[in-house]
Amino acid sequence: KVAEGVRQPPVIRTVQSILAGLPKGASQTDIAQAFVRWFGSNIRYRTDDDMSMTEAGLQWIHLNECRNKYQKCEAVEMVYDAPQILAQRYGDCDDQVLLMGCFLQLAGIRWCPVIVALDASTPREFSHIYLVASLDGKTVPIDTVNTSQPFGWQAEAPFRKEMLC
């Protein structure tokens, strides 16, 4: 999906707009930080738990609430493409990694997705995805979902962790 996203005009225009606000000769770290700030102001986190398959079809209803209204309730993993994420201004962690990956790639920055298991009740199941990027010769974690944390933050001591590159 990233290969498709980097060719999409809305994605290209957004990256160009962000880069235009940076001083000439900005470092890779400056660029990545500008992207993270943009995410913090423009993309809100929305879990896929808000989409459920019911006997009435797909419903925008949280899985917990679904069980009170419908007999059949199954969580649905929604996967959006980069222009959809830009248009709707929300996405879960995998959507945000996709869009940030497009941004970084368009800026010529190498990156890699990282999946982690963070839930103690299901320590073998992956529950979050973020990315690491090669910024000015250093590998730096970037988690656009947790923008309240300092740049370079990553969850400590996951039960499992895999880099997907």
Side-chain angles (χ1 to χ4, degrees):
K1 293 235 178 198
V2 172
E4 297 168 18
V6 296
R7 294 192 305 266
Q8 299 300 317
V11 178
I12 295 167
R13 283 192 302 271
T14 302
V15 169
Q16 289 172 336
S17 172
I18 297 166
L19 294 177
L22 294 175
K24 186 175 174 123
S27 70
Q28 291 176 322
T29 300
D30 293 335
I31 292 168
Q33 288 175 327
F35 290 160
V36 170
R37 283 191 302 274
W38 183 91
F39 267 79
S41 298
N42 292 281
I43 304 293
R44 68 185 167 87
Y45 178 73
R46 181 175 185 176
T47 69
D48 286 338
D49 290 344
D50 292 333
M51 176 61 78
S52 299
M53 178 58 80
T54 72
E55 65 270 13
L58 284 175
Q59 302 292 319
W60 279 111
I61 184 170
H62 192 278
L63 193 58
N64 294 337
E65 296 170 28
C66 181
R67 293 182 177 119
N68 296 329
K69 286 182 88 172
Y70 298 96
Q71 292 178 356
K72 174 186 172 190
C73 294
E74 296 175 24
V76 176
E77 175 64 30
M78 303 296 293
V79 180
Y80 298 108
D81 63 21
Q84 284 176 301
I85 300 163
L86 282 174
Q88 63 199 21
R89 299 288 189 186
Y90 65 78
D92 66 359
C93 56
D94 54 2
D95 298 320
Q96 292 193 30
V97 163
L98 167 73
L99 186 58
M100 178 59 97
C102 291
F103 282 20
L104 292 169
Q105 190 163 322
L106 283 166
I109 297 172
R110 292 176 36 139
W111 64 279
C112 176
V114 179
I115 53 176
V116 290
L118 299 173
D119 187 343
S121 66
T122 56
R124 303 274 316 137
E125 293 181 23
F126 292 114
S127 56
H128 186 53
I129 185 169
Y130 62 97
L131 54 85
V132 294
S134 179
L135 304 176
D136 305 311
K138 298 178 184 164
T139 300
V140 179
I142 300 175
D143 189 338
T144 58
V145 169
N146 292 293
T147 56
S148 63
Q149 298 293 336
F151 183 77
W153 177 88
Q154 64 183 332
E156 293 183 20
F159 298 100
R160 289 178 66 198
K161 178 179 177 178
E162 286 186 29
M163 293 183 70
L164 302 177
C165 55

